[in-house]
Amino acid sequence: MLLVAASWLPLSVLAQAQEQVPAQPQEQGAAQTAHQAARQAAAEEHVNSLQEPLFNPFVERYVLDELKQLRTEMAAQRVTLTEQFVDRQINVADKAISYATDTVTYFFYLIAGVSSLLVLVGWTSIRDIKEKVHGLANEEISKLVSQYEARLRGIEEQLSEKTRHIESNRDEIELTKEIQSLWLRAGREHTAAGKIAIYDQILGLRADDGEALTYKADAVLELGEPQWAIHLCQRALEVDPENGNAYYQLACAHASLEQWEEAVDYLARALEISTAYRDEAMEDEALDGLQEYPPFARLMGIESTGMEAGVVDATEKSQSSS
């Protein structure tokens, strides 16, 4: 279906180009018609000779555009969160300052009332009361100032922490974009050695990438290195114990070493994680040696044709001889 869609593009361009050609005078006649038919036949032959789809550059461009849009949205979200956080803290500070101002005002009103009462009564210790009142007021104001200075320092620390998180997210996005580009290159690579080199670059950027380890193990098996593949799969399982592809590659590696029992055990664990490996196991050339192994036949739910048939023939021969 993708090849048809890719092949349709040159035909549409050819059709549009043909529509843009001005109509030839009728007097040119059959010669012009034959020339156009020849050009159309050549174009159709070129389209039919295409061997690869033409959409790979568009896929890569789509991925890059999506990453760019994600970065833009995260930057906008950072600005919005910062504005909301600062507005909230400013509102809290305004309310607190208003409360402090009102408290001090009411306190001085109380002082004025008490002083007026003392004047009316005729007491002579107003100066002492005034000094004590000023001392208490200064002490309360100092406490309030200290509290709001501590709150402002907390706001600054929170803003710094959020800035560090944003910088970390930006670095993670850049790393993800680079790794995605390497995965696209690996998909276009046709040699096992080339794939291994690209997977090594991915592991250099993210050493605990279990998917890269299992795909590298698959490429290593193509080079005939089952022990290396087993080591890579074990590393992948240390990262993700539920990696079904790692168990499947272990089964293939042990099958290439003719360790049939271990191969069937690992294949069974892969099937417990995902039954999709069943069809792949039936067609994988790396597991051809298991086709005549009875436990593999029972695991796959098929009739064994090798060892069990040999046992039946030996039994029949022994009975006929007796």
Side-chain angles (χ1 to χ4, degrees), residues 13-22 36 39-40 43:
V13 176
L14 178 60
Q16 184 177 3
Q18 289 178 351
E19 290 177 357
Q20 294 177 355
V21 175
Q36 292 180 353
R39 291 178 60 187
Q40 184 174 0

Side-chain angles (χ1 to χ4, degrees), residues 19 42 55 68 103 143 165 180 195 200 240 243 249:
E19 290 177 357
F55 54 83
K68 180 179 179 181
T103 301
K143 289 181 180 179
H165 282 305
Q180 182 65 26
K195 291 180 180 179
D200 286 337
D240 181 13
N243 191 334
Q249 297 300 332

Side-chain angles (χ1 to χ4, degrees), residues 42-317:
E44 292 179 353
E45 182 180 356
H46 177 70
V47 170
N48 293 330
S49 63
L50 290 176
Q51 299 297 326
E52 295 181 355
L54 302 179
F55 54 83
N56 286 340
F58 299 102
V59 172
E60 186 171 356
R61 180 61 184 177
Y62 171 77
V63 173
L64 295 177
D65 290 342
E66 287 294 321
L67 290 173
K68 180 179 179 181
Q69 182 65 25
L70 179 60
R71 292 182 62 187
T72 303
E73 292 177 356
M74 288 193 66
Q77 186 179 10
R78 176 184 63 182
V79 173
T80 303
L81 290 175
T82 303
E83 291 178 353
Q84 293 177 355
F85 183 77
V86 171
D87 290 341
R88 183 188 302 172
Q89 295 300 327
I90 290 174
N91 292 331
V92 172
D94 289 340
K95 292 180 180 179
I97 293 172
S98 298
Y99 174 76
T101 303
D102 294 340
T103 301
V104 173
T105 301
Y106 295 149
F107 188 71
F108 279 109
Y109 285 161
L110 179 61
I111 293 173
V114 172
S115 300
S116 299
L117 181 61
L118 290 175
V119 170
L120 292 175
V121 174
W123 289 355
T124 59
S125 59
I126 296 177
R127 180 178 296 177
D128 295 337
I129 296 174
K130 181 179 178 181
E131 291 177 355
K132 291 181 179 180
V133 167
H134 279 294
L136 292 173
N138 291 331
E139 184 179 354
E140 292 297 327
I141 291 173
S142 298
K143 289 181 180 179
L144 290 174
V145 171
S146 300
Q147 290 178 0
Y148 287 111
E149 286 179 351
R151 290 185 180 181
L152 289 175
R153 285 194 297 270
I155 292 173
E156 291 178 355
E157 292 177 357
Q158 290 179 4
L159 288 175
S160 299
E161 184 67 21
K162 289 184 179 296
T163 301
R164 287 193 294 270
H165 282 305
I166 291 171
E167 293 294 332
S168 176
N169 291 334
R170 186 181 64 182
D171 294 339
E172 183 66 21
I173 290 174
E174 293 292 338
L175 179 63
T176 302
K177 182 174 71 173
E178 186 174 357
I179 292 175
Q180 182 65 26
S181 177
L182 291 172
W183 277 111
L184 291 173
R185 285 178 52 196
R188 294 193 296 267
E189 183 64 40
H190 299 292
T191 63
K195 291 180 180 179
I196 291 173
I198 296 175
Y199 295 145
D200 286 337
Q201 294 181 27
I202 297 175
L203 293 172
L205 296 173
R206 186 173 290 166
D208 58 348
D209 194 329
E211 187 176 4
L213 288 170
T214 53
Y215 275 89
K216 182 179 178 181
D218 189 15
V220 165
L221 282 176
E222 295 182 10
L223 296 179
E225 296 289 343
Q227 294 292 347
W228 188 6
I230 291 172
H231 175 68
L232 291 172
C233 292
Q234 290 174 348
R235 285 179 55 192
L237 290 174
E238 291 177 358
V239 176
D240 181 13
E242 298 299 323
N243 191 334
N245 192 19
Y247 287 117
Y248 182 81
Q249 297 300 332
L250 280 172
C252 295
H254 283 285
S256 63
L257 294 173
E258 297 184 358
Q259 297 174 355
W260 313 123
E261 184 176 356
E262 290 83 353
V264 171
D265 290 340
Y266 284 119
L267 182 58
R269 299 186 68 175
L271 292 176
E272 290 177 358
I273 296 174
S274 174
T275 57
Y277 294 108
R278 186 181 302 276
D279 295 335
E280 185 175 356
M282 295 299 298
E283 299 177 358
D284 198 339
E285 295 180 357
L287 300 177
D288 285 345
L290 292 173
Q291 298 295 330
E292 302 299 329
Y293 189 56
F296 175 78
R298 289 193 295 269
L299 180 63
M300 294 292 104
I302 59 176
E303 295 294 333
S304 61
T305 58
M307 297 179 65
E308 291 181 352
V311 173
V312 172
D313 292 339
T315 303
E316 293 179 352
K317 289 180 181 180

